[in-house]
């Protein structure tokens, strides 16, 4: 039975990877969305799971406190806590799940489990304009790349996904080859703005609506090896052009399948989501394709692209309305089926 309450306050908790985030949602509207990013992983060139879970433990209480204060409410006003159950790093997920359990137990309020990838899609309901159903979403993050058809807030069907690396991983791994810090996606984006996409890399040839990015990484590796043999300063001298070329290769692969999905389904409501949807090349490409093909395009604000609890609270709100709660025996799931 759908709920008929008038004042629904949801606390969202996100701790699946290296961002500790808490958000407060009031009747579907985001009042606060506070994220503590863990800079420490830069030193290691990637996320170190044990370090991440320890940092979540340190961050979670201050982050929740800040989200409550920013929203101007007390914890006693909360209707429920929505938390990321998976997929993600198990140690990181445990921190958010354990926090949600103890908070709900002490406050006597229900708990709502949220699938991280579904939440990336539902981030679009945190702002206006909202997509109409059915819509397609290209969800591109550090761990996943998929095209999803969404028929209602709770009905999501994966139409295609990557068979190897995710788009974000392609950015991060290439960036590593170029000597850029982790996560390299935003840095490649920044450099690409000053460069020209003049280098060509191998193009994946995947059937249907699936993606593959591991060939691109190998192609770039061999390209760099060859160039560095002739000129050891090749990367420094051409960084902007290399970044523009890498970005354009990744964006082209994504857009090829997104256009195909729109054509095959006849759906004109097109959204992008996930960390890589912050990429300026992808944002421009999807906007231009929308103008060309008559799509209604939905691009999230930056705060809702990368991992954030606002999207978890929104996804939790839809389940809350249907009273889909979980008990204290809930456990995190590192590889949670979509
Ligand atoms: O969604 P997200 O915050 O975390 C996961 O669920 O994985 O995505 C993180 C990924 C990283 O790979 C990061 O490099 C990438 O998103 N990313 C970007 C940009 N901002 C973040 N990639 C390309 N361009 C950007 N501006
Ligand atoms: Zn994510």
């Amino acid at each position: 039975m759908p709920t008929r309450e008038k004042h629904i306050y949801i606390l969202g908790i996100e701790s699946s990877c290296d961002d500790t985030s808490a958000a407060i949602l009031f009747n579907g509207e985001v009042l606060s969305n506070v994220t503590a990013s863990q800079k420490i992983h830069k030193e290691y060139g990637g996320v170190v799971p044990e370090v991440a879970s320890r940092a979540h433990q340190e961050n979670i209480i201050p982050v929740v406190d800040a989200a409550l204060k920013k929203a101007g409410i007390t914890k006693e006003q909360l209707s429920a806590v929505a938390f990321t159950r998976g997929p993600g790093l198990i140690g990181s997920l445990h921190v958010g799940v354990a926090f949600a359990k103890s908070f709900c137990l002490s406050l006597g309020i229900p708990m709502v489990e949220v699938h991280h990838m579904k939440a990336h899609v539902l981030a679009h309901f945190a702002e206006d304009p909202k997509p109409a159903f059915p819509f397609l979403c290209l969800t591109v993050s550090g761990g996943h790349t998929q095209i999803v058809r969404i028929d209602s807030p709770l009905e999501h069907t994966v139409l295609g996904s990557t068979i190897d690396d995710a788009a974000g991983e392609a950015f991060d791994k290439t960036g590593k080859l170029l000597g850029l810090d982790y996560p390299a996606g935003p840095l490649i984006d920044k450099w690409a703005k000053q460069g020209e996409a003049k280098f060509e890399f191998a193009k994946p040839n995947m059937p249907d609506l699936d993606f593959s990015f591991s060939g691109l990484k190998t192609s770039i590796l061999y390209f760099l090896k060859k160039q560095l043999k002739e000129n050891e300063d090749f990367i420094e001298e051409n960084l902007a052009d290399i970044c523009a070329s890498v970005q354009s290769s990744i964006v082209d692969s994504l857009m090829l399948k997104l256009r195909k999905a729109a054509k095959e389904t006849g759906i004109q409501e097109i959204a992008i989501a996930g960390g890589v949807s912050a990429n300026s090349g992808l944002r421009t490409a999807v906007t231009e394709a929308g103008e060309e093909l008559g799509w209604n395009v939905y691009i999230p604000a930056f705060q809702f692209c990368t991992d954030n609890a606002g999207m978890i609270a929104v996804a939790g709100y839809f389940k809350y309305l249907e009273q889909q709660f979980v008990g204290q025996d809930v456990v995190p799931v590192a590889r949670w089926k979509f």
Side-chain angles (χ1 to χ4, degrees):
M1 259 266 288
T3 183
R4 287 174 194 277
E5 282 167 67
K6 287 215 178 74
H7 301 291
I8 303 170
Y9 286 100
I10 308 270
L11 164 66
I13 303 279
E14 158 62 29
S15 72
S16 66
C17 191
D18 58 343
D19 292 309
T20 321
S21 186
I24 303 292
L25 196 78
F26 173 63
N27 288 352
E29 187 197 335
V30 178
L31 300 183
S32 63
N33 189 21
V34 178
T35 303
S37 299
Q38 304 175 3
K39 303 275 179 269
I40 179 136
H41 304 288
K42 239 183 216 178
E43 291 171 28
Y44 302 97
V47 177
V48 183
E50 179 61 16
V51 174
S53 54
R54 279 171 196 270
H56 282 305
Q57 284 175 336
E58 282 171 21
N59 292 342
I60 194 141
I61 290 172
V63 162
V64 169
D65 198 37
L68 285 165
K69 285 207 175 91
K70 204 164 169 207
I73 68 160
T74 63
K75 59 184 187 306
E76 286 74 21
Q77 286 173 268
L78 290 172
S79 316
V81 177
F83 62 95
T84 306
R85 185 176 174 206
L89 300 170
I90 195 71
S92 293
L93 290 166
H94 262 298
V95 178
V97 174
F99 181 87
K101 280 188 193 183
S102 51
F103 220 51
C104 288
L105 193 64
S106 66
L107 295 168
I109 54 173
M111 252 191 308
V112 185
E113 62 176 23
V114 170
H115 190 290
H116 182 88
M117 297 310 293
K118 293 185 183 176
H120 268 303
V121 172
L122 295 171
H124 284 284
F125 293 88
E127 337 166 69
D128 285 321
K130 298 174 175 46
F133 299 107
F135 69 96
L136 294 181
C137 187
L138 170 71
T139 318
V140 271
S141 73
H144 296 79
T145 297
Q146 43 189 216
I147 295 180
V148 187
R149 177 193 163 111
I150 300 96
D151 286 284
S152 77
L154 304 181
E155 286 171 280
H156 301 214
T157 313
V158 177
L159 304 182
S161 52
T162 181
I163 60 148
D164 42 53
D165 291 348
E169 247 177 315
F171 273 105
D172 296 338
K173 288 182 176 174
T174 311
K176 205 168 185 176
L177 297 175
L178 297 170
L180 299 176
D181 277 346
Y182 175 87
L187 299 172
I188 291 184
D189 192 352
K190 199 175 117 214
W191 279 101
K193 286 187 182 131
Q194 304 154 39
E196 194 191 320
K198 62 184 194 192
F199 304 117
E200 285 268 341
F201 305 116
K203 287 198 166 55
N205 188 15
M206 292 301 296
D208 309 319
L209 294 173
D210 288 335
F211 302 91
S212 167
F213 289 104
S214 63
L216 173 69
K217 186 191 61 201
T218 314
S219 165
I220 293 165
L221 178 68
Y222 285 116
F223 167 80
L224 290 176
K225 268 192 181 160
K226 187 165 165 264
Q227 299 293 339
L228 287 169
K229 242 186 218 162
E230 289 162 24
N231 171 11
E232 61 180 26
D233 298 324
F234 179 78
I235 293 179
E236 291 88 275
E237 287 171 11
N238 295 278
L239 190 56
D241 291 340
I242 303 169
C243 288
S245 309
V246 166
Q247 179 165 302
S248 140
S249 286
I250 297 172
V251 170
D252 285 354
S253 295
L254 295 172
M255 288 308 298
L256 186 76
K257 296 302 170 103
L258 187 58
R259 282 170 177 264
K260 191 171 179 204
K263 197 169 170 201
E264 283 177 5
T265 58
I267 295 174
Q268 301 268 77
E269 295 279 305
I270 309 289
I272 57 171
V276 180
S277 66
N279 183 265
S280 58
L282 180 60
R283 291 166 92 92
T284 304
V286 76
T287 305
E288 286 175 359
E291 282 162 11
E292 178 198 328
L293 299 165
W295 296 346
N296 292 321
V297 168
Y298 302 90
I299 298 176
F302 288 114
Q303 66 160 325
F304 298 117
C305 288
T306 44
D307 289 348
N308 67 92
M311 68 183 196
I312 305 300
V314 172
Y317 176 66
F318 287 119
K319 285 185 148 185
Y320 183 90
L321 293 177
E322 299 299 322
Q323 300 198 297
Q324 292 188 11
F325 306 135
V326 288
Q328 282 285 328
D329 55 347
V330 68
V331 288
V333 188
R335 290 172 180 271
W336 195 8
K337 218 175 142 272
F338 195 82

